[in-house]
Amino acid sequence: MPRVALRSPGRHDVFHGLSLCAGVGGLDLGLHLAEPGYRTVCYVERNSFAAASLVARMADASLAAAPVWDDLRSFNGRPWRGRIHILSAGYPCQPFTLSGLRRGEDDPRHLWPDVARIVGEIRPEWCFFENVPGHLSLGFRDVARDLQQLGYRVAARVVSAAEVGGSHTRERLFILAHTDLQGQRQSGLCDAEPGRSCLQDRREPDRQSDRAEERSLGLVAPVVDSDGGGVGAWQPGLFPPLPGDFAEWGKAWQRCPELFPCLHGLDDGVASGLDRSAAAGNGVVPLAAARAWRHLKAALLAMG
């Protein structure tokens, strides 16, 4: 494998990525939108349906051809050191989600230690992660502390699909880390002692009463895209109208007469499309990932 010279990517530079817990490639597609020169050169994904979806996207040229490794715990990042600009990961949310048992590091699906190990083996310039908002109140402090100890500045933000025009909320936590090899301290951050927050202090709007602890952490403030629009701008046609917006649905049917209404009955006990539904439920909205990347990248670079 040839070694490539790495430099901080500009708008049209080649930008090589390694995708852990890749799913069906939502984070990768988001990076393609945000960085025109981005290309994933290796995937790690053990779910067979998700891996097959990645291969299908390679076949239709939505994603560039790249190897797919099937076991995160046995993956060795050392051969990739010096070849990767960004390491991305949508590591499992089950240990942290408010919809689950929230066992954290005691959950057998807790894969952050292996993600952190691979970050240390590769030492990429950028790290980009995605998880559920419940991660803020369970596990995120450890993630931020581990990244800081590895020499990274850390920023995070919750982005919803609705912010990019989606007809559903689908909030997700995005974490971006950038190398800080000179050991400069982040402006507005704490001393990174165990158990303390490593985020800038900013109040978030109230969402749900059972997420008060998450709001108290504070997230990086939104920043305006440098080109005044781009991935943050809503574009009609990318998402369906809201379920009760009959006027917009009428316009959609006029534009696409091949569409037709569908009524779904009760569960008939047949697991039709289960893999596809699970992939969609675990997947990342690419536009939301692109928006998060651009906002968080601008915030980190502004810190100097």
Side-chain angles (χ1 to χ4, degrees), residues 159-169 231-242 285 287-288 291:
V159 176
S160 71
E163 290 181 48
V164 291
S167 56
H168 56 302
T169 303
V231 298
W234 178 81
Q235 301 180 46
L238 291 175
F239 295 94
L242 293 170
V285 176
L287 277 174
R291 180 179 178 89

Side-chain angles (χ1 to χ4, degrees), residues 137-285:
S137 57
L138 179 63
F140 173 75
R141 298 176 190 272
D142 297 328
V143 169
R145 185 183 67 245
D146 290 347
L147 289 169
Q148 286 186 324
Q149 290 175 348
L150 286 168
Y152 288 87
R153 302 178 183 212
V154 182
R157 184 181 181 211
V158 171
V159 176
S160 71
E163 290 181 48
V164 291
S167 56
H168 56 302
T169 303
R170 193 172 182 79
E171 290 182 323
R172 287 296 181 268
L173 171 69
F174 293 92
I175 305 166
L176 184 63
H178 185 242
T179 49
D180 183 20
L181 299 179
Q182 288 72 39
Q184 299 174 356
R185 187 179 302 279
Q186 274 183 258
S187 175
L189 293 188
C190 70
D191 293 331
E193 295 174 357
R196 295 190 59 189
S197 172
C198 295
L199 289 176
Q200 290 178 317
D201 184 17
R202 184 177 75 85
R203 295 197 176 199
E204 286 292 300
D206 286 347
R207 284 193 284 267
Q208 297 178 13
S209 59
D210 61 352
R211 287 164 58 180
E213 183 179 356
E214 297 172 22
R215 294 195 303 271
S216 69
L217 289 174
L219 301 180
V220 168
V223 297
V224 177
D225 289 342
S226 58
D227 57 5
V231 298
W234 178 81
Q235 301 180 46
L238 291 175
F239 295 94
L242 293 170
D245 194 342
F246 300 115
E248 285 300 319
W249 272 112
K251 295 177 184 178
W253 285 323
Q254 288 177 0
R255 293 193 301 269
C256 303
E258 68 275 13
L259 296 176
F260 59 92
C262 178
L263 296 178
H264 293 276
L266 296 176
D267 182 5
D268 59 6
V270 178
S272 175
L274 182 61
D275 287 333
R276 184 181 296 271
S277 297
N282 291 326
V284 178
V285 176

Side-chain angles (χ1 to χ4, degrees), residues 105-128:
E105 61 184 15
D106 294 326
D107 193 303
R109 296 162 291 188
H110 181 52
L111 293 182
W112 168 251
D114 283 287
V115 173
R117 169 184 61 80
I118 296 169
V119 170
E121 291 171 351
I122 298 176
R123 296 297 180 115
E125 180 180 359
W126 297 90
C127 297
F128 190 39

Side-chain angles (χ1 to χ4, degrees), residues 11 14 131 133 159 186 203 227 247 293 296:
R11 182 167 291 273
V14 174
N131 215 282
V159 176
Q186 274 183 258
R203 295 197 176 199
D227 57 5
W293 166 268
L296 293 172

Side-chain angles (χ1 to χ4, degrees), residues 21-94:
C21 306
V24 293
L27 274 179
D28 303 277
L29 291 172
L31 286 167
H32 275 288
L33 291 171
E35 298 285 351
Y38 177 81
R39 175 187 173 182
T40 305
V41 295
C42 181
Y43 297 90
V44 180
E45 176 54 55
R46 69 174 300 173
N47 180 274
S48 58
F49 179 84
S53 298
L54 293 174
V55 174
R57 298 292 73 77
M58 296 177 202
D60 65 20
S62 298
L63 296 172
V68 181
W69 191 269
D70 67 355
D71 184 12
L72 181 72
R73 290 194 165 106
S74 66
F75 184 80
N76 181 8
R78 293 183 181 89
W80 294 94
R81 190 162 188 169
R83 299 180 171 96
I84 298 298
H85 296 93
I86 176 172
L87 183 147
S88 62
Y91 50 92
C93 66
Q94 290 90 343

